[in-house]
Amino acid sequence: MRSLIDITDFSVEELQSLMDTACHIIENPARYADACKGKKLATLFFEPSTRTRLSFEAAMLELGGSVIGFSEASSSSASKGESMADTAKILSCYADIMAIRHPKEGAPYVAAKNASIPVINAGDGGHCHPTQTLADLLTIYRENGRLSNITVGCCGDLKYGRTVHSLLAALSRYENVKVILISPEELKLPGFVRKEVLEKCGMEYVETTSLETAIPELDVLYMTRIQRERFDDPAVYERLKDSYILDTEKMKAAKETMRVLHPLPRVNEISVKVDEDPRAAYFRQALNGKYMRMALILKLLADAADGKQMTEPEDVLVDTLKCTNPRCISSTEQELPHIFKCMDRENGIYRCIYCEAKKKL
């Protein structure tokens, strides 16, 4: 069954089609009021969420469908030790489509491999968050009028920020996009993202620790919070949490046409006074997320009706290498095969199919 696990599962043409559908929904909401009548969305949220979970639920309800599910792991059979594979098989009996957020990287992929209904990755650890990227793309498209020929600044936690990783993967397929990566040294963009996303497609990028020097050049500033939940050492979090704070003084140096995005929630990295600036687009971005999730639900249900399937990875090794990433779903899932995809045959480099861990054969 075709699912959305990573933003690159969809072509640029499919992304544009989703944005076109979302814009049509915005202009003609009544025409979609019964589009999913009789359909059920299961929301499986194994870690806390407000915007993403409620956005999915609002999307399905506004399409005329219904919602079942849970909002924390303790409310599910996972607290009794049930595997992700078994959960997916069970929910397939009760719903037509499911959205999953899970702290373990690769959990939605495992669900998709075992479900008989479409699966949407609503965030897996620090790995991917493709539906947030759909919201980001629609916001840039509506606010700036284009997705090509822009300069985007990503600021904050670029190491663990799954929203940043997904956004860069999406933008890498558009023409003449320059990225300025703004972060503390400890939270720089991981090497695999630079190599496999930015450098592979020839995207121009600059790394800096200074928001002030970068902001005048930007068409889009994508702010992120320093995520307490991704740090093993609380002392490191405390040292880095206030690295960047966007305020009205810094906004004076920005273009009049620049837009500020944020996946939310924010802590203190954007002053509330910036909310009054018309360039602050993050609340409009949250609303765009609902419309893109509506378009996504419609697409995946249509693909399911047409019998479309997931694309299977090629050139893989099964149980030859073992993933040692403690955040990977393979560290906890019962009898899950360790699958590695070839990334560099000449040097024998393979990557875990569930996360981004690499091994040398």
Side-chain angles (χ1 to χ4, degrees), residues 46 70 72-83 87:
F46 293 85
F70 52 83
E72 54 184 333
S74 61
S75 301
S76 75
S77 291
S79 62
K80 304 174 185 177
E82 183 174 66
S83 68
T87 298

Side-chain angles (χ1 to χ4, degrees), residues 314-358:
E314 299 178 352
D315 200 1
V316 298
L317 296 176
V318 180
D319 289 335
T320 301
L321 301 169
K322 183 177 175 62
C323 184
T324 54
N325 175 12
R327 297 183 299 275
C328 181
I329 189 67
S330 65
S331 68
T332 57
E333 190 77 356
Q334 179 184 5
E335 299 178 27
L336 186 68
H338 287 255
I339 305 174
F340 278 74
K341 177 179 173 60
C342 182
M343 304 303 296
D344 182 346
R345 179 164 295 282
E346 182 178 349
N347 294 301
I349 305 299
Y350 287 77
R351 186 183 74 195
C352 177
I353 205 72
Y354 311 110
C355 66
E356 300 296 339
K358 291 184 178 60

Side-chain angles (χ1 to χ4, degrees), residues 80-94:
K80 304 174 185 177
E82 183 174 66
S83 68
M84 187 73 258
D86 284 359
T87 298
K89 291 173 183 175
I90 292 297
L91 265 295
S92 295
C93 300
Y94 306 145

Side-chain angles (χ1 to χ4, degrees), residues 40 102 147 231 240 336:
K40 292 188 289 293
H102 201 285
L147 289 167
F231 285 81
L240 297 175
L336 186 68

Side-chain angles (χ1 to χ4, degrees), residues 96-113:
D96 301 283
I97 186 169
M98 69 177 82
I100 300 175
R101 168 163 290 184
H102 201 285
K104 289 290 186 180
E105 298 172 8
Y109 178 80
V110 172
K113 293 291 290 181

